[in-house]
Amino acid sequence: MNMHVPRIHTAGEKALIAAIEAARATLPGNGDVMQRRDEAAGLLRAAGLPSRKVEAWHYTDLRNLLRGIPVGAGAGAGAGASEALIDGALMLRAGDDGVGRLDDVADMPEGVAVASMASAFASGAAAPLLAVASDHDAVGMVSAAMASTGFEVLVAAGAQVARPIQLDFAASAALHAVNRINIGAGAKAMLIERAHGGGMSSLVTWLSVADGADVTFVLLQDAADDALHFGRLVIEIGAQAKVLLLAVNSGGGLVRREIDVAVNGEHSDFKLRGMNLLSGRRHVDVTMVVRHRVEHTTSTELLRNVVTGEGRGVFQGQIRVAAEAQKTDARMACNTLLLSDEGEFLAKPELEIFADDVACGHGATVAEINRDHLFYLMARGVPEAEAKALLVRAFVSELLDDLEDEALHDALNDVLSSWLATH
Amino acid sequence: MLEIRNLHARIAEDGTEIIRGLDLHVKPGEVAAIMGPNGSGKSTLSYIIAGRDDYEVTEGDILWNGESILEMDVAERAASGIFLAFQYPMEIPGVATMEFLKVSMNAQRKARGLDPMKTPDFIRVVKENAAKLNISMDMLKRPLNVGFSGGEKKRAEILQMQLLQPLMAVMDETDSGLDIDALKVVADGVNALRGPDRAFLVITHYQRLLDYIVPDTVHVLYKGRIIHSGTRELALHLEENGYADIIAKAA
């Protein structure tokens, strides 16, 4: 594609470009930051949104799927309660007004420092976070062009932070945030990033995990049924570090979540546990790449998807093993339970291996509710809807059952329960 | 109590007729045995009574306390007091046995207008009944039937029956795959539930089970019809002589 050829924009592209132009005057940033924004907007104008012809967007034809920008409840309307996923979590809240609110700053856990992104926009330090990878990087373009809030979180080396830290993004019409999170060597922490509310939102987070650190990161997206959401999480993992990422999508209208993991240090371990609950007419795309770059690293990626109504899910999972990354052990599985004839889930697992002494595997399955199981439960008097809910929970539970943190297990179980109760 | 009238039923998927004009009447308190050679429709009959939608009733009716159950779904039939003890109980990974027992008991209580059981009461009643069947609490901590031996599965079925207290239990070849000790435990469980208000339909291939669960009536099912009915002596006769002479007589 030649991005300099002028092309006719779709209605969705026009609406997105108009939203960017309307927002520009109010966006924070020094010259560097504003230059990044203008470059991103210029790229979007020239290249447009990616269509199915771009391989990375093959199952999410953004150019044709995006018909307009959802207005949500309207700016300033508020997006409803932002409750802590886990009781007692330190809450960092951001809404549409671009102001990052830091609760309990006086009561910060030891070894934790947080700041609003405002000063980094003003100084230009945020400019590198507004990166656009290519002319089809729609997530990068939207974020760079409009990000106006976010947080910086630093966890000091060796800090053992028992209190979960929740970065909470409640959109009422438009909310675009970038975050930078650095976890020091040997530190232990749990972070939760929640995107909810309506309208359009984007959330790009850069997470750096230093040697020997142990991080649990929860990505929860439970936005309104017509919400448009772009997400990206970029993780760099040091030696002997452990990262457990729980990626949950239980809402949204049109959602693209990108996860880019670089396993940079030896003897480190990355785990992804993904739960996608797709109902109504939502389209949720999880696109992940894990880059094993050094020897002796492990990763497992396990996704459990439940599709009902006209829900549509996509998982593109790529494991790349560099030539130097001998003894890599990487396993990926994507399992889907289809509850309706109209729903679908498209899985594209890929292995790209340049090393010769590795153990890598992937599998994808799609199944319906087991009719024998359903009959058995109903033959004991359990009504059909309740029996199906039991079986859906059984299907998803394997993801949650090996979570060591009981509060986290219960919180995610509650997310599942409330979805089951309403779908 | 249960009255099956001129029942005709076929496999929904391919239309194969399995039940071809079956009549059967089971009274309260009665233990009725259904015997028959392989392929006569014994298991199909149990599934049709339970309401499995793989089968279509094309003619006739099943009356339960005078009312047709054909329009009721599987769960409604169960809640109305019909229990099917499976020949091959399902293993359901991810569903905890105790949770399943509680959900099913409370679903039936709800259908009958009763409040859900309180957890301590529930645990007590499960423990009491499980002990009688040599079912350990460790077994009940596992996912439903997962990793249970054949005998353990059958005992778990009897435990469910004892907890749900049905008005009628359809036992589908409960003896298959059981050694003699397990058979006795299962039979004791069934016998403990016998009473003037509760009926049993015991489907079996072998007479042996009927030494332990002594029936009031015995019916021979062949090619989808009851071709002969009698008392317990009929089962002993079949054990010695096989089905050939009765089939020949009926033809």
Side-chain angles (χ1 to χ4, degrees):
Chain A
M1 188 190 297
N2 184 334
M3 66 182 182
H4 299 297
V5 176
R7 49 177 298 277
I8 298 165
H9 293 134
T10 63
E13 288 167 339
K14 281 180 191 160
L16 182 57
I17 290 164
I20 289 170
E21 286 170 353
R24 191 183 183 283
T26 64
L27 294 174
N30 73 348
D32 287 351
V33 166
M34 294 314 283
Q35 190 187 338
R36 293 267 183 153
R37 297 190 188 289
D38 291 340
E39 283 167 7
L43 200 53
L44 178 64
R45 268 189 221 99
L49 291 169
S51 73
R52 59 180 296 115
K53 290 176 191 161
V54 177
E55 200 189 340
W57 293 84
H58 187 69
Y59 299 109
T60 299
D61 187 340
L62 192 58
R63 185 176 292 175
N64 290 301
L65 286 171
L66 188 73
R67 299 291 169 86
I69 306 298
V71 293
S82 303
E83 287 161 14
L85 181 68
I86 294 172
D87 281 347
L90 176 71
M91 296 293 288
L92 313 180
R93 300 170 203 267
D96 289 41
D97 55 8
V99 180
R101 289 178 187 78
L102 313 171
D103 289 8
D104 310 329
V105 177
D107 188 24
M108 202 58 59
E110 201 181 327
V112 178
V114 302
S116 155
M117 194 57 75
S119 59
F121 282 125
S123 70
L129 306 182
L130 307 180
V132 181
S134 70
D135 68 351
H136 59 253
D137 179 10
V139 176
M141 289 179 212
V142 169
S143 170
M146 291 193 281
S148 63
T149 186
F151 300 99
E152 291 188 90
V153 178
L154 298 172
V155 175
Q160 305 292 300
V161 185
R163 189 176 176 192
I165 302 168
Q166 178 164 335
L167 291 76
D168 194 275
F169 300 93
S172 52
L175 171 52
H176 300 276
V178 291
N179 305 297
R180 178 160 52 197
I181 302 170
N182 289 327
I183 310 294
K188 183 171 183 179
M190 182 191 296
L191 295 118
I192 297 152
E193 184 181 292
R194 181 179 176 208
H196 58 124
M200 170 168 60
S201 59
S202 70
L203 213 46
V204 171
T205 296
W206 303 79
L207 171 65
S208 168
V209 179
D211 294 354
D214 180 349
V215 175
T216 299
F217 198 98
V218 182
L219 265 181
L220 171 62
Q221 180 278 119
D222 58 340
D225 287 345
D226 65 345
L228 169 64
H229 179 74
F230 297 102
R232 172 174 293 157
L233 175 62
V234 182
I235 312 179
E236 295 197 308
I237 304 176
Q240 294 178 334
K242 285 201 298 190
V243 175
L244 168 62
L245 172 61
L246 294 140
V248 178
N249 288 291
S250 64
L254 175 54
V255 175
R256 167 86 164 191
R257 297 220 100 174
E258 297 178 357
I259 297 164
D260 188 319
V261 182
V263 184
N264 291 335
E266 290 185 9
H267 300 287
S268 59
D269 178 58
F270 170 70
K271 286 189 178 72
L272 168 69
R273 298 289 178 269
M275 177 165 81
N276 293 304
L277 307 173
L278 308 170
S279 49
R281 306 193 62 178
R282 57 177 121 267
H283 178 111
V284 174
D285 175 325
V286 176
T287 291
M288 178 208 75
V289 54
V290 177
R291 308 163 199 273
H292 288 270
R293 289 178 164 155
V294 294
E295 283 189 16
H296 295 290
T297 64
T298 54
S299 77
T300 55
E301 296 81 21
L302 177 61
L303 284 95
R304 289 286 158 96
N305 315 299
V306 183
V307 187
T308 180
E310 292 172 60
R312 191 165 198 250
V314 176
F315 174 62
Q316 302 187 99
Q318 191 180 54
I319 295 174
R320 292 188 185 174
V321 181
E324 302 77 31
Q326 301 294 0
K327 307 287 183 191
T328 292
D329 189 323
R331 315 267 163 190
M332 177 161 61
C334 178
N335 309 112
T336 300
L337 187 61
L338 265 186
L339 301 179
S340 71
D341 294 337
E342 293 78 28
E344 66 177 329
F345 198 95
L346 303 157
K348 189 174 80 171
E350 281 181 280
L351 300 175
E352 190 187 274
I353 301 170
F354 292 104
D356 54 16
D357 184 13
V358 301
C360 294
H362 67 75
T365 63
V366 178
E368 296 174 5
I369 285 266
N370 184 311
R371 295 181 65 242
D372 290 337
H373 291 176
L374 186 64
F375 175 61
Y376 189 81
L377 296 177
M378 288 179 71
R380 295 297 175 254
V382 184
E384 185 168 2
E386 210 177 325
K388 281 186 174 168
L390 266 177
L391 294 173
V392 170
R393 181 184 295 283
F395 171 76
V396 177
S397 65
E398 198 185 324
L399 274 187
L400 307 179
D401 282 353
D402 62 351
L403 287 180
E404 286 166 22
D405 188 301
E406 203 171 316
L408 177 60
H409 172 273
D410 293 350
L412 295 179
N413 213 22
D414 287 349
V415 170
L416 175 61
S417 295
S418 68
W419 185 83
L420 285 171
T422 50
H423 293 94
Chain B
M1 182 169 233
L2 179 76
E3 198 177 344
I4 301 177
R5 287 186 188 159
N6 188 32
L7 190 72
H8 291 256
R10 63 189 183 192
I11 298 173
E13 199 178 5
D14 62 11
T16 309
E17 192 171 47
I18 308 282
I19 303 295
R20 304 179 177 94
L22 185 145
D23 289 284
L24 181 69
H25 190 190
V26 183
K27 294 193 282 292
E30 181 177 335
V31 175
I34 304 272
M35 301 186 71
N38 283 333
S40 57
K42 298 193 299 294
S43 282
T44 299
L45 176 62
S46 71
Y47 283 146
I48 290 170
I49 294 171
R52 184 154 190 157
D53 61 6
D54 298 55
Y55 303 96
E56 273 173 11
V57 171
T58 53
E59 203 182 327
D61 208 344
I62 303 174
L63 302 178
W64 172 236
N65 293 324
E67 287 184 32
S68 175
I69 58 169
L70 294 183
E71 295 302 313
M72 291 162 70
D73 79 7
V74 179
E76 289 165 340
R77 293 184 199 195
S80 79
I82 298 173
F83 180 91
L84 171 62
F86 282 67
Q87 183 179 3
Y88 302 110
M90 301 296 154
E91 294 192 12
I92 311 188
V95 173
T97 303
M98 287 298 272
E99 192 195 353
F100 161 74
L101 293 174
K102 195 171 178 186
V103 166
S104 57
M105 284 174 82
N106 283 335
Q108 295 210 14
R109 289 176 69 88
K110 191 177 172 189
R112 293 169 197 165
L114 299 169
D115 288 335
M117 271 189 121
K118 291 193 173 69
T119 300
D121 294 338
F122 163 74
I123 289 173
R124 183 179 44 75
V125 71
V126 171
K127 274 188 175 169
E128 280 172 13
N129 284 284
K132 283 184 237 163
L133 290 162
N134 293 331
I135 292 173
S136 67
M137 288 312 279
D138 275 351
M139 228 174 105
L140 296 176
K141 281 176 190 154
R142 283 187 248 162
L144 186 54
N145 290 325
V146 174
F148 289 17
S149 70
E152 286 174 331
K153 282 179 188 166
K154 295 296 171 72
R155 279 188 275 143
E157 291 289 287
I158 303 303
L159 173 63
Q160 291 172 34
M161 184 167 77
Q162 290 181 339
L163 294 173
L164 294 170
Q165 296 277 316
L167 297 170
M168 176 157 147
V170 180
M171 321 281 303
D172 184 10
E173 306 214 17
T174 292
D175 49 337
S176 69
L178 288 189
D179 61 34
I180 201 73
D181 293 327
L183 187 64
K184 279 181 187 161
V185 172
V186 166
D188 288 348
V190 171
N191 288 329
L193 281 172
R194 288 179 78 154
D197 300 324
R198 184 174 288 127
F200 289 85
L201 194 60
V202 179
I203 294 171
T204 182
H205 198 61
Y206 299 106
Q207 203 287 131
R208 187 182 66 161
L209 177 67
L210 304 180
D211 288 338
Y212 299 95
I213 304 174
V214 179
D216 300 305
T217 55
V218 174
H219 308 270
V220 177
L221 180 62
Y222 179 67
K223 291 192 174 171
R225 298 179 61 222
I226 301 292
I227 57 166
H228 194 81
S229 296
T231 59
R232 195 190 165 204
E233 278 62 44
L234 175 57
L236 299 170
H237 172 85
L238 292 171
E239 176 83 348
E240 241 163 71
N241 305 298
Y243 293 100
D245 59 332
I246 285 175
I247 289 168
K249 242 187 271 173

